[in-house]
Amino acid sequence: MTDDALRAQWAAVAEHYGTGWSHADGPDLAWMVEALAPRPTDRAIDLGAGAGHASLALAPHVSRVDAIDPTPEMLAVAARLAAERGIANIVPTEAVAESLPFPDATFDLAMSRFSIHHWPDPGRALAEVARVLRPGGRVVLVDLVVPEDARLDAFLNAVELLRDPTHARSLRPSDWRAALAGAGLVGDIVREWRFRHDTEDWLGRTAPAPWRADAARRLLREAPPLARAAFEIAPDGSGFTVGAVVVAATAPGGGRAT
């Protein structure tokens, strides 16, 4: 999918990801802030910020949050929500995670929430995160996770890709660990949880082409027993359960004084 097509898709659904998104106020926001351990003087970066929910959660605890996203319409929603809440320290910037327009060692904190499964090259993006973090800086990532079993991995990623052509890949726990290590970041998964999708609501968030939505519905309805059990797929395919993780890591060198 071209960059222009990707941005057009997300521009069309940007408003939905404002206050109407089911994860707009999820419990993981508090977990993310806690894991970041922010200080009032910290400068943070939010990668794939979307409508800005992670930025909004962190902003009261730091001096500034740079909200990064490739879709200007998403950033406009984030800016509007910040204004409505009287938050003035979120700075939107149109950019992609793999090529950040900031000097080395600019940020104390970095975060990304439900964005990494869209990144074509998570390893390259995390290397950029390591580059822009100050020594000892913290990064916390929240995203979907797939099982280590190759069959379940393939099934869930296929369903996700049918629903959303901008989906790159949801990672396995081993992929998360390898990506962190490859970027020189020291950390691991610190929390796992599961949540349930209503299939029609889940499809409606990205407004896929009708053939894509029909194919996703059929794949869920006709799921093999292994996938049906692992993802708790309803007999008619009307709902299913997925996993997510909070990953916390530290940039090499130095340390954060308390």
Side-chain angles (χ1 to χ4, degrees), residues 56-186:
L56 292 165
L58 184 61
H61 306 282
V62 297
S63 65
R64 168 172 166 163
V65 180
D66 290 80
I68 309 302
D69 200 272
T71 307
E73 290 82 0
M74 281 287 192
L75 293 173
V77 173
R80 189 189 75 234
L81 292 176
E84 289 173 356
R85 300 182 193 185
I87 295 174
N89 62 335
I90 295 176
V91 181
T93 299
E94 187 178 340
V96 296
E98 294 86 355
S99 182
L100 297 173
F102 300 101
D104 296 359
T106 297
F107 298 97
D108 304 286
L109 305 174
M111 61 182 176
S112 181
R113 181 176 186 253
F114 293 118
S115 174
I116 292 174
H117 62 274
H118 296 292
W119 297 359
D121 189 344
R124 178 180 169 189
L126 289 178
E128 272 289 89
V129 170
R131 179 185 68 79
V132 300
L133 275 176
R134 295 178 179 134
R138 293 280 288 168
V139 55
V140 175
L141 312 166
V142 170
D143 206 354
L144 303 171
V145 67
V146 294
E148 294 287 350
D149 187 294
R151 296 163 295 177
L152 297 174
D153 175 349
F155 178 88
L156 192 55
N157 273 299
V159 173
E160 290 280 5
L161 184 58
L162 284 169
R163 174 247 190 181
D164 175 11
T166 73
H167 178 83
R169 185 169 180 271
S170 295
L171 302 179
R172 300 167 298 176
S174 58
D175 297 324
W176 280 104
R177 294 177 180 117
L180 290 174
L185 297 166
V186 180

Side-chain angles (χ1 to χ4, degrees), residues 10-24 51 53 74 77 80 163 200-207:
W10 288 107
V13 297
E15 285 296 332
H16 178 82
Y17 278 80
T19 56
W21 187 32
S22 59
H23 296 300
H53 301 296
M74 281 287 192
V77 173
R80 189 189 75 234
R163 174 247 190 181
E200 293 307 313
D201 175 71
W202 172 76
L203 289 168
R205 292 180 215 158
T206 55

